[in-house]
Amino acid sequence: MIEILSVLVEEHALAGLFIASFLASTILPIGSEAYVVLLISKGFSILPVVMVASIGNYIGACTTYYIGIRGRQDVIEKYFSISDEQLKKTDRLFARYGSFLLLFTWVPIIGDAITATGGIMKLDFRIFSFYVFIGKTARYAALAYLTAGTLMFFQ
């Protein structure tokens, strides 16, 4: 069984990472970080891993933004498990920190609420995209380089 999983990961590695990263930023409370660590530990190049994870996670965030911009509060609460209180809290954070808050859409629990609030507030999509993509890429790059450094340390 472990051999089968290993073959699946190796043959569909980047596609699987894209799907996991996308879902992690939308409706499923999963993390894609373990997949990033797994691929790097299997010798995959850091740059493609970081870019695929970042793009998948960014597109997932765009999905949440779009649902927010369409004003679908019912969808946000039901499928994204983001409460009205979380949205109000992130609204206050936007009032305090502005668009820079979008750099932290990767943070567990509040990240999806930040993304949805950005949509609800109808933030300019170019500004949304810039900060979200930078934040997500920085997170995956840091994770990848920490993983690679740790692997080199223990060899």
Side-chain angles (χ1 to χ4, degrees):
M1 183 64 161
I2 292 175
E3 291 176 19
I4 293 171
L5 288 174
S6 181
V7 169
L8 282 173
V9 166
E10 289 179 23
E11 288 183 7
H12 305 288
L14 295 178
L17 176 60
F18 179 86
I19 291 166
S21 299
F22 173 82
L23 292 174
S25 190
T26 55
I27 60 175
L28 294 178
I30 62 170
S32 53
E33 294 82 3
Y35 212 122
V36 169
V37 170
L38 175 66
L39 294 183
I40 291 170
S41 70
K42 288 197 157 285
F44 281 80
S45 180
I46 289 175
L47 183 60
V49 168
V50 169
M51 291 313 298
V52 168
S54 299
I55 292 168
N57 213 244
Y58 163 74
I59 293 172
C62 289
T63 304
T64 306
Y65 171 88
Y66 178 75
I67 291 169
I69 211 164
R70 301 299 299 163
R72 294 302 310 263
Q73 185 78 23
D74 57 328
V75 173
I76 290 170
E77 287 183 20
K78 183 176 181 181
Y79 295 107
F80 290 76
S81 300
I82 301 171
S83 69
D84 188 51
E85 181 54 39
Q86 285 176 306
L87 291 174
K88 288 178 183 174
K89 183 177 184 178
T90 57
D91 192 39
R92 289 189 300 271
L93 289 171
F94 267 108
R96 185 171 183 182
Y97 299 108
S99 297
F100 294 108
L101 185 62
L102 293 167
L103 290 168
F104 299 97
T105 58
W106 57 268
V107 175
I109 300 171
I110 65 164
D112 291 337
I114 294 170
T115 304
T117 302
I120 291 167
M121 294 174 65
K122 297 182 178 15
L123 291 176
D124 183 296
F125 186 70
R126 292 170 297 186
I127 293 170
F128 170 86
S129 291
F130 176 78
Y131 286 118
V132 169
F133 191 76
I134 294 296
K136 289 180 181 294
T137 302
R139 176 200 59 194
Y140 283 118
L143 175 64
Y145 285 102
L146 285 171
T147 300
T150 301
L151 290 171
M152 286 177 28
F153 179 78
F154 285 108
Q155 288 182 350

